[in-house]
Amino acid sequence: MNVASVMTTDVDSCTPESTCKEVAIKMKELDVGVIPICENEKLVGIITDRDLVIKGLANDLSEESPVSELITNLVVKGTKDMSIEEAAKIMSHEQIRRLPIVENEKLVGMVSLGDLAVNNQSSEKAGEALKDISVPSEPNK
């Protein structure tokens, strides 16, 4: 079974020029903690609620600041034809809970641990990924 069969395809995104406030409002409206950042449908970054708080709010960044100042540009991505097991392995290795799915660099979907867990064949893999993702990172020295 491949990722295309379980991924969410109706994914909202913002642009690098979107303000921190606009992104936060979109997160609230959609009840999500991550928003892909796209230019002309091409995935150029990702921002999380944690980015908004830790990199933005905690550093006195204005709510009108563009999210380009906060986004993660080196985004781990998947493809819709990869297997569910491959996606779970990547998510586990990278310690991420959501994996943007791209085709020709364009965002076509998003797969979450929840998406993987609802599939009976992948629930064990999702559980293993969650266990690995939940392991605390080594503190920076």
Side-chain angles (χ1 to χ4, degrees), residues 7-22:
M7 72 181 188
T8 300
T9 56
D10 186 23
V11 180
D12 272 345
S13 64
C14 289
T15 68
E17 295 79 28
S18 299
T19 67
C20 292
K21 184 172 184 171
E22 289 168 341

Side-chain angles (χ1 to χ4, degrees), residues 90-109:
I90 289 170
M91 293 166 79
S92 173
H93 181 263
E94 298 294 331
Q95 292 192 313
I96 56 176
R97 295 173 187 262
R98 294 164 202 87
L99 182 66
I101 305 301
V102 298
E103 189 171 48
N104 299 320
E105 294 302 314
K106 290 187 177 183
L107 181 68
V108 295

Side-chain angles (χ1 to χ4, degrees), residues 14-16 37-44 104-107:
C14 289
T15 68
I37 304 300
C38 297
E39 283 185 307
N40 302 319
E41 297 180 29
K42 180 181 176 188
L43 182 67
V44 296
N104 299 320
E105 294 302 314
K106 290 187 177 183
L107 181 68

